[in-house]
Amino acid sequence: NEFAAELSDLAEVVVAGAAKIVEKELRERHGRPRAEDGRPVKLAIGALGKCGGRELGFASDIELLFVYSSDGRTDGREPLTNASYFQRYVEQFTQVIRARREGVFHVDLRLRPYGKAGPLAVSLGAFENYYAEEGPAWPFERQALVKLRPIAGDAAFGKQLVKLRDRLIYAGRRFDVGSLRAMRERQVRQLVRAGTFNAKLSPGGLVDLEYLVQSLQLTHGAQTKELRLANTRSAIVALHDAGILDDGDYQRASAAYLFFRRLIDALRMV
């Protein structure tokens, strides 16, 4: 809806502003990151989750992924490896954005490769190796890339990252329903209090609808590029336009999505 889009636009402005502050401070001391052949190294800051889909609501996290184009070293008076430079970059970035209220615009980096055990920023090569079919990423991590949308950094490199993402996840492979079911059961068991209904996480809630849409996108996205959308509402429309959702399923999915989003926002307000 309009509010979610405007809040997401605000988040993008905040992220881009924080990125400029951090870049200026680090380059004065460490110089510019360069590849082994001397070419400047580029950075893309990608949004995931609700921010990636321009669906931010009240108290939504800003889920981000930092990817740089190549390994190498910086060219300043105190040189660093690019890995160390971008590790410091993200550390300082998370300190720049300070929310006045807990949970509002909180930067969440847990969806990066290897989660909390992984580096805060990854090279493009490491990104490709991690999410490749034979790579160590779990199916749900590849599914999360449906929402990837570059929002700051080098725009051309951001487009390159999206093309690589498309090649890795929209490859026409059979969708792993068993893995998704196991993850949902784990979410319900760990995050939903017994005897209560969680509009987002309980069986039949918003997450089930979002995951259904994403599973259809991954199943059919190799043949139909129009399905490669980060926004859930837009993806539901595209699935209907492509004939994958019939009129009845489309109407029910659209109504359910709108209901759950409004309900969750209202509950968070109170």
Side-chain angles (χ1 to χ4, degrees), residues 65-85:
L65 179 63
F66 292 75
V67 183
Y68 55 95
S69 58
S70 175
D71 290 323
R73 296 184 67 84
T74 65
D75 60 6
R77 66 178 187 273
E78 297 180 30
L80 296 170
T81 65
N82 289 348
S84 296
Y85 174 89

Side-chain angles (χ1 to χ4, degrees), residues 58-127:
F58 292 101
S60 293
D61 291 339
I62 305 177
E63 295 172 302
L64 298 177
L65 179 63
F66 292 75
V67 183
Y68 55 95
S69 58
S70 175
D71 290 323
R73 296 184 67 84
T74 65
D75 60 6
R77 66 178 187 273
E78 297 180 30
L80 296 170
T81 65
N82 289 348
S84 296
Y85 174 89
F86 286 110
Q87 180 78 10
R88 293 190 184 187
Y89 184 107
V90 181
E91 289 172 350
Q92 292 188 209
F93 177 93
T94 59
Q95 297 300 311
V96 169
I97 299 179
R98 289 290 185 181
R100 290 184 176 270
R101 180 178 176 184
E102 183 66 25
V104 179
F105 278 19
H106 170 73
V107 176
D108 186 350
L109 304 173
R110 290 175 295 176
L111 288 178
R112 68 187 187 271
Y114 298 104
K116 292 182 179 180
L120 297 178
V122 296
S123 68
L124 187 65
F127 176 93

Side-chain angles (χ1 to χ4, degrees), residues 145-178:
L145 292 183
V146 169
K147 294 285 192 180
L148 177 63
R149 182 174 64 90
I151 62 172
D154 186 272
F157 180 57
K159 292 179 180 179
Q160 182 183 346
L161 178 63
V162 170
K163 287 183 179 180
L164 174 58
R165 182 280 309 271
D166 287 353
R167 180 163 60 83
L168 293 173
I169 71 170
Y170 293 113
R173 292 189 291 271
R174 184 181 180 87
F175 184 77
D176 191 344
V177 177

Side-chain angles (χ1 to χ4, degrees), residues 136-145 169 175-176 179-180 183 218:
W138 291 93
F140 77 86
E141 292 181 286
R142 295 188 182 90
Q143 181 180 333
L145 292 183
I169 71 170
F175 184 77
D176 191 344
S179 176
L180 176 60
M183 180 180 66
L218 290 170

